[in-house]
Amino acid sequence: MLIADAQRNMRYAYFGGGPGVLASALVWLSAGLVALTNSADASIMTLFIGGIFIHPVGLLMAKALRRPGAHDSGNPLGMLALEGTVLMLLCLPLVYGASRAHLEWFFPGMLLVIGGRYLTFATIYGMRIYWACGSMLACAGFLLVMFRVPFAVGAFTGAAIEGVFAAWVFWTERKQRYG
């Protein structure tokens, strides 16, 4: 399978990744709302627990959009997606540990980790939009720490950035024709 064919297969199967980005934006939004109405720890758990459901919810959305929600078994980019997920999961204890010393670093740290994950999506889906998304998330993480913004702002920042990019991916992908 050529890389362009593998990317096309991934884009088709998962609607360009848009459903997963939207599901992630909703998790960030939920964590922000919990941060405003409950404790910081409850907000952190909301992001972690909600994060578990991003992939399954994204698959359900892809299927609702009449896409298979599964790539071809011989697609080598499936392994890259798995490896990126494992790397992201290995970073979570580091971000959580840093937040125990500086609570306000939690969401910025997560923005950096998630931003890095999105950079691999540029290769997985063959869509440069993910370079922009990952870069914006990472830059936002740095800026939030630099400007010492309130805790909940980090979650709403993630929700806003991912919401905009989800809309962009949906808009781009709806115009695609697969053959």
Side-chain angles (χ1 to χ4, degrees):
M1 181 179 280
L2 298 175
I3 187 134
D5 295 330
Q7 290 170 329
R8 191 172 13 268
N9 175 246
M10 296 299 269
R11 282 192 309 273
Y12 177 73
Y14 303 108
F15 208 88
V21 180
L22 178 59
S24 184
L26 294 172
V27 170
W28 281 101
L29 179 62
S30 299
L33 293 172
V34 169
L36 293 178
T37 61
N38 212 312
S39 69
D41 283 337
S43 178
I44 289 168
M45 285 297 107
T46 300
L47 192 70
F48 281 155
I49 293 168
I52 293 168
F53 296 100
I54 292 170
H55 184 65
V57 168
L59 294 181
L60 290 174
M61 281 192 240
K63 288 180 180 189
L65 292 165
R66 298 186 179 158
R67 298 291 176 89
H71 55 275
D72 292 345
S73 62
N75 191 325
L77 295 174
M79 188 55 70
L80 177 58
L82 176 63
E83 292 163 352
T85 300
V86 170
L87 178 59
M88 176 191 65
L89 293 173
L90 292 173
C91 291
L92 298 183
L94 179 64
V95 172
Y96 182 76
S99 76
R100 297 299 85 191
H102 296 277
L103 181 63
E104 67 279 7
W105 290 358
F106 178 74
F107 288 126
M110 289 302 298
L111 288 169
L112 287 166
V113 169
I114 302 302
R117 170 131 170 78
Y118 277 123
L119 295 177
T120 65
F121 285 14
T123 298
I124 292 168
Y125 293 109
M127 298 169 70
R128 293 184 202 162
I129 187 173
Y130 285 111
W131 286 337
C133 181
S135 297
M136 284 193 69
L137 289 167
C139 287
F142 282 118
L143 292 172
L144 291 169
V145 170
M146 262 181 48
F147 292 107
R148 300 175 188 221
V149 300
F151 179 76
V153 173
F156 291 120
T157 300
I161 293 170
E162 287 193 352
V164 167
F165 279 96
W168 190 354
V169 171
F170 276 107
W171 181 79
T172 301
E173 190 60 21
R174 72 171 174 73
K175 299 185 312 181
Q176 297 299 314
R177 301 285 181 244
Y178 295 93

